[in-house]
Amino acid sequence: MTSLYNFKKIEPVPTSSDFIDIILSKTQRKTPTVIHKNYNIGRIRQFYMRKVKFTQENFDEKFKNILDEFPKLEDIHPFYADLMNVLYDKDHYKLALGQINTARHLIDQVAKDYVRLLKFGDSLYRCKQLKKAALGRMATVMKRQKDSLAYLEQVRQHLSRLPSIDPNTRTLLICGYPNVGKSSFINKITRADVDVQPYAFTTKSLFVGHMDYKYMRWQVIDTPGILDHPLEERNTIEMQSITAMAHLRSCIMYFMDLSEQCGYSVEDQVRLFHNIKPLFANKPIVLVINKIDQVKPEDLPEEQKKWIQDIANEENATVLTMSCYNDDGVMNVRNMACDKLLTARVEMKMKSNKINDVINKIHLAQPQQRDNITRMPNIPDEVKSRVKYDPNDPNRRQLEKDIEQENGGAGVHNVDLKKKYLLADDDWKYDVIPEFLDGHNVADFIDPEIEEKLEALEREEERLEAEGFYQSDEEILDDDEEAMRTAADAIRERKKLIVQAHRAANGRTRPALPKTTSSKFATVSEMNRQLANMGIDGSEAVERTKSAAAGRKRTHNETVPDEAVKEATAGERHEVEDLEMSKQGFRNVKQKLEADKQKKNVQKQASKMGKRGEADRQIQTKMPKHLFSGKRGMGTTDRR
């Protein structure tokens, strides 16, 4: 449908059992599930009240979506209202929606009553039973809506398959007896693919095709065939055509088959037209004579010709002829029908009150004569004397197209846009347009002869190289230059000696190692020797260094075994160990080892339980939440 009536967006309506499963499973998933009898009674009541309220809100939300999405017959276009009445029975449709609305209120009332009772629940068991009763009554109400929900789902499926018809756009409505060529015509002028068969009532519902005419979008509606009998006796298929003709602002195209191959006589077709013409009020009418490849209007008897002429005169109908079999006059019929509908729509708008509002907004400006001087049109003499262009004349004037063909044709020739510049001097037409950068003309800084000068410079370089100008021989020095160079070398040598003497007087001539690095490689004996060479007594420094070294830990290489330890017997060493044990509270080493063993045995059990020590009396979680929380369905309880 259009954006206003998009019935395809209506959500599917579940069955009553699916409805109950959806709501109750959502309640189970979205509300807490763990409650204990030792909880505060207020907490228990709140737990079950929340479940009842949540279930009622879900039912209410689902019902509200159904009631809002299904169209209300009073609010939609009369065409759709009558079409839904024909297809689905208006009373049945309203009754089904009314029962859904009643069920919604009943469930609201059930929830309200049981929430009031839950406020006075005095135990976990009683609150649980009240909750169970509330959900059970809601489910019972839903089960009673089984037929209504099934009917609404069928209506939704059929609505989604209805064609998209815009009641207000430009429309061509094709009607007539069955098998007169209506579906063949819509297939010819649009991209619709309506089934065409040589028997009656092939088309059983409305079909829509679209086309473009005069840069506007048109919809063409193919209606099922209509028979000539009272309105009360028409079936659902025929009533769809009647509804479309009654409510759509369109151009009525009444098809007739003069060859009577459709199975109905010309008299029956004329009688049907007069029977349904009250539906054509205030609409342009086109009487289409189809199958003229079989019988033309000129071949009819005078009486039948008079019938058709009366229709054209009395109803202001346009009579057109065509043949879908050989496409004779099909496009002409389409164009005439579209033009007639456009004219009728313009006339209708002119008669409406809206035209006054539009005219007030339009101002038509008309020029006023400023004086009485007659100003004749001025045509240049060159134009008057110009010979008419003849492509076969060899002396014809040359056009831009001829110049293009001479210079290689389209894609090769570049049009000269400068030749018609109007300048004071024609020599200026092809001057290079100056390019400015930072307020300066770039052309002022470019030498136009730079390439020629560069070539001349390169030629001169080549000539000099050929003459050997750049070949260098050994230098021949005269006496003065040689004396000068010798003096310069002597000065440089003297300066170098002065620098060296200065460095020797003021500092070392080699880089010094850091103290931390040099001390790693120096020994006390080397220090003593160096001080002796300098004439200094280093005995005190040696003693001070040895006393400082006594305080640090000896390295493995410096370790010297104690002779007393070496010579001591095993018995003497055992006595020393016993003396040490006595200081810790043990008689001997054996008692110490036994105490250590018992200590390990005592700590072993605590270590198994992950205790921090003997004083750790904390009881860890017996049921870790990540292993025991959550809802598990039927079947395995393997968390993996």
Side-chain angles (χ1 to χ4, degrees):
M1 296 297 165
T2 60
S3 58
L4 186 58
Y5 308 117
N6 192 355
F7 299 151
K8 293 180 175 61
K9 288 187 177 180
I10 301 177
E11 293 184 0
V13 180
T15 62
S16 59
S17 59
D18 291 343
F19 212 117
I20 295 171
D21 291 343
I22 291 170
I23 300 299
L24 294 185
S25 65
K26 187 175 182 181
T27 302
Q28 182 72 359
R29 286 183 290 109
K30 298 290 187 180
T31 57
T33 55
V34 178
I35 190 74
H36 297 292
K37 61 182 180 181
N38 55 355
Y39 283 176
N40 187 1
I41 188 63
R43 182 176 176 182
I44 296 174
R45 292 169 184 166
Q46 191 64 33
F47 176 85
Y48 287 110
M49 286 166 58
R50 178 177 177 183
K51 282 188 175 293
V52 174
K53 288 180 181 178
F54 189 83
T55 306
Q56 177 263 326
E57 289 171 359
N58 286 335
F59 273 118
D60 187 84
E61 181 184 0
K62 284 284 186 183
F63 285 144
K64 188 173 184 301
N65 288 341
I66 293 174
L67 295 172
D68 291 343
E69 289 181 346
F70 276 88
K72 296 179 177 58
L73 300 183
E74 295 79 10
D75 298 340
I76 60 177
H77 194 275
F79 165 68
Y80 287 121
D82 281 2
L83 186 62
M84 292 180 66
N85 183 28
V86 169
L87 296 174
Y88 317 124
D89 186 6
K90 177 174 65 176
D91 296 335
H92 194 179
Y93 178 76
K94 285 188 172 182
L95 187 62
L97 291 180
Q99 288 178 345
I100 295 298
N101 194 33
T102 303
R104 175 186 172 193
H105 291 303
L106 286 176
I107 289 177
D108 291 351
Q109 189 61 39
V110 167
K112 190 181 298 182
D113 293 342
Y114 276 89
V115 166
R116 188 182 299 114
L117 292 174
L118 278 168
K119 290 181 181 178
F120 300 98
D122 55 358
S123 66
L124 173 66
Y125 175 77
R126 185 160 297 179
C127 291
K128 183 177 180 179
Q129 294 303 108
L130 286 173
K131 184 268 298 185
K132 188 176 179 180
L135 299 189
R137 288 190 60 183
M138 293 180 189
T140 303
V141 172
M142 276 304 309
K143 288 178 181 177
R144 292 174 184 167
Q145 310 306 319
K146 176 181 177 181
D147 296 335
S148 298
L149 293 173
Y151 169 76
L152 288 176
E153 174 60 14
Q154 294 296 322
V155 171
R156 183 199 68 82
Q157 292 179 4
H158 198 279
L159 276 175
S160 65
R161 292 193 293 266
L162 284 180
S164 299
I165 299 176
D166 186 356
N168 302 315
T169 190
R170 295 163 291 277
T171 307
L172 300 182
L173 189 65
I174 306 171
C175 61
Y177 262 101
N179 211 23
V180 295
K182 302 186 297 296
S183 299
S184 300
F185 178 70
I186 191 175
N187 288 344
K188 293 286 184 182
I189 65 173
T190 69
R191 299 183 63 183
D193 187 16
V194 184
D195 189 22
V196 177
Q197 298 294 341
Y199 50 81
F201 289 106
T202 308
T203 304
K204 298 181 181 179
S205 61
L206 300 177
F207 283 88
V208 180
H210 295 86
M211 66 176 186
D212 290 329
Y213 178 69
K214 289 188 176 179
Y215 303 103
M216 290 181 289
R217 196 70 170 165
W218 296 70
Q219 68 179 5
V220 184
I221 300 178
D222 179 22
T223 61
I226 309 173
L227 300 180
D228 185 18
H229 46 222
L231 184 65
E232 297 79 13
E233 299 178 8
R234 290 196 166 96
N235 57 22
T236 303
I237 297 175
E238 295 175 280
M239 286 304 297
Q240 295 181 55
S241 301
I242 299 298
T243 302
M245 288 186 285
H247 294 290
L248 295 179
R249 297 170 52 192
S250 59
C251 175
I252 303 296
M253 302 181 70
Y254 184 80
F255 273 59
M256 292 184 65
D257 178 12
L258 302 182
S259 67
E260 300 183 358
Q261 293 179 352
C262 61
Y264 305 95
S265 65
V266 176
E267 182 180 0
D268 291 339
Q269 298 178 51
V270 172
R271 191 183 303 113
L272 175 63
F273 179 86
H274 289 292
N275 188 8
I276 63 175
K277 71 179 181 181
L279 302 173
F280 303 159
N282 301 322
K283 297 175 185 175
I285 303 172
V286 176
L287 184 63
V288 181
I289 308 297
N290 195 14
K291 303 182 183 179
I292 60 172
D293 56 307
Q294 300 294 326
V295 176
K296 295 184 178 180
E298 295 82 11
D299 302 335
L300 295 175
E302 290 298 329
E303 184 181 5
Q304 295 182 356
K305 287 183 181 179
K306 186 174 182 302
W307 293 341
I308 297 175
Q309 191 63 36
D310 290 344
I311 292 175
N313 296 335
E314 294 176 5
E315 308 301 332
N316 193 23
T318 303
V319 181
L320 300 174
T321 60
M322 72 168 193
S323 172
C324 292
Y325 180 74
N326 53 20
D327 294 344
D328 184 14
V330 173
M331 288 297 110
N332 182 47
V333 170
R334 184 203 72 170
N335 297 343
M336 291 292 290
C338 292
D339 292 338
K340 190 162 186 177
L341 179 60
L342 286 177
T343 305
R345 287 169 67 95
V346 172
E347 291 176 356
M348 189 179 299
K349 290 178 181 178
M350 293 294 290
K351 293 178 183 178
S352 65
N353 296 329
K354 290 183 179 180
I355 190 65
N356 296 328
D357 299 335
V358 176
I359 289 178
N360 292 335
K361 299 176 183 178
I362 299 176
H363 173 68
L364 181 61
Q366 295 181 349
Q368 301 293 330
Q369 188 176 2
R370 61 183 179 185
D371 50 36
N372 296 326
I373 299 176
T374 303
R375 294 176 175 82
M376 300 300 293
N378 182 19
I379 302 175
D381 296 335
E382 181 184 355
V383 177
K384 293 180 180 179
S385 60
R386 179 178 293 175
V387 180
K388 185 178 180 181
Y389 180 78
D390 184 7
N392 299 322
D393 185 7
N395 297 324
R396 67 184 184 279
R397 67 180 184 277
Q398 196 175 31
L399 303 180
E400 286 292 336
K401 188 175 182 180
D402 300 329
I403 298 174
E404 182 184 59
Q405 294 296 332
E406 291 176 0
N407 294 317
V412 178
H413 172 65
N414 192 12
V415 180
D416 186 4
L417 301 176
K418 297 182 178 181
K419 66 181 181 181
K420 292 189 177 181
Y421 282 0
L422 301 177
L423 301 176
D425 189 351
D426 290 341
D427 295 338
W428 297 348
K429 288 182 179 179
Y430 298 98
D431 288 354
V432 178
I433 298 176
E435 180 181 358
F436 287 89
L437 179 65
D438 297 334
H440 301 285
N441 188 354
V442 177
D444 294 342
F445 299 92
I446 296 177
D447 189 353
E449 300 176 356
I450 189 170
E451 293 184 358
E452 298 177 1
K453 293 179 179 179
L454 181 60
E455 291 178 359
L457 184 60
E458 290 177 350
R459 288 196 298 270
E460 184 179 357
E461 289 292 324
E462 291 175 358
R463 180 180 58 80
L464 292 175
E465 288 181 0
E467 294 177 355
F469 179 78
Y470 295 110
Q471 293 179 0
S472 59
D473 297 332
E474 294 183 0
E475 295 184 3
I476 302 174
L477 303 177
D478 55 6
D479 297 337
D480 295 337
E481 290 180 355
E482 188 173 359
M484 188 180 299
R485 289 202 174 186
T486 304
D489 292 340
I491 292 171
R492 292 192 191 96
E493 193 66 27
R494 177 61 180 166
K495 186 176 180 181
K496 189 184 296 183
L497 294 173
I498 294 172
V499 171
Q500 290 177 356
H502 178 74
R503 286 178 179 173
N506 296 326
R508 288 190 292 263
T509 58
R510 59 180 179 81
L513 287 175
K515 290 183 179 181
T516 55
T517 305
S518 60
S519 62
K520 291 180 182 180
F521 306 102
T523 61
V524 178
S525 59
E526 288 180 359
M527 182 185 69
N528 191 16
R529 192 183 309 113
Q530 188 175 1
L531 291 175
N533 293 334
M534 296 171 62
I536 301 173
D537 184 11
S539 58
E540 294 182 1
V542 170
E543 291 298 331
R544 191 165 53 251
T545 303
K546 287 182 178 182
S547 62
R552 66 181 178 86
K553 186 177 180 180
R554 293 178 296 174
T555 62
H556 187 270
N557 295 330
E558 297 173 341
T559 304
V560 180
D562 191 355
E563 294 298 331
V565 175
K566 277 184 177 182
E567 296 175 357
T569 62
E572 292 174 348
R573 288 199 297 272
H574 187 66
E575 292 177 359
V576 174
E577 291 176 358
D578 289 343
L579 181 60
E580 292 295 327
M581 291 300 104
S582 65
K583 293 181 180 178
Q584 296 182 6
F586 300 107
R587 294 178 182 174
N588 50 36
V589 177
K590 185 177 180 181
Q591 195 178 28
K592 172 72 167 56
L593 294 175
E594 185 65 25
D596 290 342
K597 184 177 179 180
Q598 291 181 8
K599 177 183 176 184
K600 288 182 181 179
N601 290 335
V602 172
Q603 291 178 347
K604 190 179 295 184
Q605 190 64 25
S607 300
K608 284 183 179 179
M609 302 300 294
K611 301 294 184 179
R612 291 188 290 270
E614 292 180 353
D616 188 0
R617 296 288 188 269
Q618 183 178 0
I619 299 175
Q620 302 296 335
T621 306
K622 295 185 175 61
M623 299 174 65
K625 186 173 182 180
H626 71 282
L627 295 180
F628 296 95
S629 65
K631 306 178 183 65
R632 298 184 185 182
M634 298 296 292
T636 180
T637 57
D638 186 359
R639 65 184 178 85
R640 293 171 295 179

